[in-house]
Amino acid sequence: MIIEDMMVRDVHTLAPDATLNEAIELMSSEKVRHLPVTDVTGKVVGIITDRDIKEFSPSPFQTADSKALYETKLLDIMTTPVITGHPLDFVEEVAVTFMEERIGCLPIVSEDKLVGMITETDILHTLVQLTGATQPGSQIEVKVPNKQGMLYEVAGIIRKNHSNIHSVLVYPDRHDEKYKVLVFRVQTMNPMSVIEDLREEGHEVLWPNLPSSPL
């Protein structure tokens, strides 16, 4: 999945000469936590977050300077430079950016103009969808040798049981690099027949950890 398919296109923005008070009002009325700051050409020149708002907003105990603080220009408090993404970036790559940079949002830019926005909530929602966790079914984890053709072989056994595969994840075995673990989400509430066939073919089923059928 690419970012263009999941990004929010109607992004609320403010200009650099907008005030802290304007940012507070816009965030409150639109219930957003991140505001890109753009110039007259649509280029992202900074970003304001709810954390910035809390940091720069006057304390209830401040009375003398509170009005001046509310009139502070975003140009003076916004975060810059801004990390951005492209509409054709893959969601997995963007998830890595969120993790490595510890950011809560990512403005999406094309031809130097803001075209969308992705937040950490959007990323989490999309990754949950990609795993198939929201669809009814069962999870099956199979430990296989790390060699060519194993995914095809195991998927074939599931196919013979007429079980539709929602999603497949592959990750290295934590204890032995010669093996990997295949995680299937399958459209069945009773995976017993699939598990039995996998074991008959010599595969190690890690989950569900059910006892083998008696001979």
Side-chain angles (χ1 to χ4, degrees):
M1 182 178 289
I2 59 175
I3 291 302
E4 187 176 39
D5 295 332
M6 57 174 289
M7 68 184 185
V8 174
R9 297 175 183 271
D10 185 16
V11 184
H12 300 286
T13 65
L14 286 174
D17 61 352
T19 64
L20 174 63
N21 191 54
E22 289 178 274
I24 292 173
E25 291 180 351
L26 184 56
M27 282 187 173
S28 177
S29 63
E30 299 299 334
K31 296 180 173 58
V32 295
R33 297 188 298 120
H34 312 88
L35 287 175
V37 181
T38 57
D39 63 15
V40 292
T41 68
K43 180 180 179 180
V44 179
V45 294
I47 197 159
I48 291 290
T49 70
D50 56 348
R51 189 172 298 178
D52 299 324
I53 296 296
K54 292 175 183 177
E55 180 179 350
F56 290 102
S57 293
S59 166
F61 300 103
Q62 291 176 279
T63 56
D65 299 327
S66 61
K67 184 177 180 180
L69 286 171
Y70 279 123
E71 293 302 318
T72 301
K73 301 295 185 183
L74 299 188
L75 178 65
D76 298 324
I77 63 176
M78 66 187 185
T79 299
T80 185
V82 183
I83 301 171
T84 62
H86 188 273
L88 299 182
D89 288 342
F90 290 108
V91 63
E92 303 96 318
E93 298 170 347
V94 171
V96 172
T97 300
F98 271 77
M99 181 181 66
E100 292 181 342
E101 301 295 338
R102 298 184 178 183
I103 55 177
C105 72
L106 189 71
I108 306 303
V109 173
S110 179
E111 297 181 354
D112 215 25
K113 292 184 178 182
L114 180 70
V115 295
M117 172 85 88
I118 288 292
T119 68
E120 55 189 348
T121 302
D122 298 325
I123 290 291
L124 180 60
H125 178 72
T126 300
L127 291 178
V128 168
Q129 286 185 312
L130 290 175
T131 64
T134 58
Q135 302 182 58
S138 302
Q139 181 166 309
I140 301 175
E141 297 184 12
V142 187
K143 180 178 178 179
V144 298
N146 187 13
K147 64 180 184 180
Q148 185 177 359
M150 296 310 302
L151 176 58
Y152 176 81
E153 182 178 325
V154 174
I157 296 172
I158 296 175
R159 183 181 67 250
K160 289 178 183 178
N161 280 269
H162 307 288
S163 295
N164 185 37
I165 298 175
H166 287 316
S167 66
V168 183
L169 298 175
V170 182
Y171 61 89
D173 184 86
R174 290 179 294 177
H175 307 292
D176 192 340
E177 63 180 13
K178 295 180 181 179
Y179 291 87
K180 57 186 176 181
V181 178
L182 310 180
V183 183
F184 294 88
R185 289 287 302 182
V186 295
Q187 191 179 1
T188 178
M189 300 307 294
N190 185 2
M192 281 302 303
S193 61
V194 177
I195 293 171
E196 290 175 359
D197 285 354
L198 287 168
R199 286 173 171 168
E200 285 181 6
E201 294 294 330
H203 295 293
E204 181 179 354
V205 179
L206 301 179
W207 183 266
N209 189 15
L210 302 175
S212 300
S213 300
L215 297 176

